[in-house]
């Protein structure tokens, strides 16, 4: 399922990222990697706020829709 549909507060595993190489590299630098863990904290408006490792990250809805989790 896309990250935008993930339940709030539940840690999920990233299984696939569908994006161009530049976006994948940028997400990788932020700690968003395939097989990594991510938790959706808030999904209001056009942004999805997530916890990645020890930090928080706000993702645009279009980017979050291209990150698939299980």
């Amino acid at each position: 399922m896309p990250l935008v549909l993930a339940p709030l507060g539940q840690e999920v595993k990233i299984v696939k990222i569908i994006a161009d190489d530049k976006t994948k590299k940028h997400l990788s630098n932020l700690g968003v990697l395939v097989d990594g863990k991510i938790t959706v904290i808030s999904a209001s408006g056009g942004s999805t706020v997530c916890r990645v490792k020890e930090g928080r990250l706000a993702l645009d809805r279009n980017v979050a829709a291209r990150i698939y989790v299980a």
Side-chain angles (χ1 to χ4, degrees):
M1 83 181 109
L3 185 61
V4 294
L5 299 178
L8 294 178
Q10 182 178 345
E11 186 176 68
V12 291
K13 181 180 176 181
I14 300 170
V15 294
K16 183 173 28 172
I17 299 173
I18 300 174
D20 59 25
D21 289 337
K22 182 179 177 184
T23 303
K24 283 183 182 179
K25 180 160 178 60
H26 181 66
L27 290 171
S28 173
N29 289 337
L30 296 172
V32 180
L33 302 164
V34 173
D35 292 332
K37 302 288 185 180
I38 193 167
T39 305
V40 177
I41 299 170
S42 171
S44 61
S47 297
T48 301
V49 179
C50 304
R51 182 180 309 122
V52 179
K53 298 184 182 183
E54 298 297 319
R56 290 185 182 187
L57 178 64
L59 297 171
D60 178 75
R61 184 170 179 83
N62 295 328
V63 174
R66 295 178 181 189
I67 299 172
Y68 286 82
V69 297

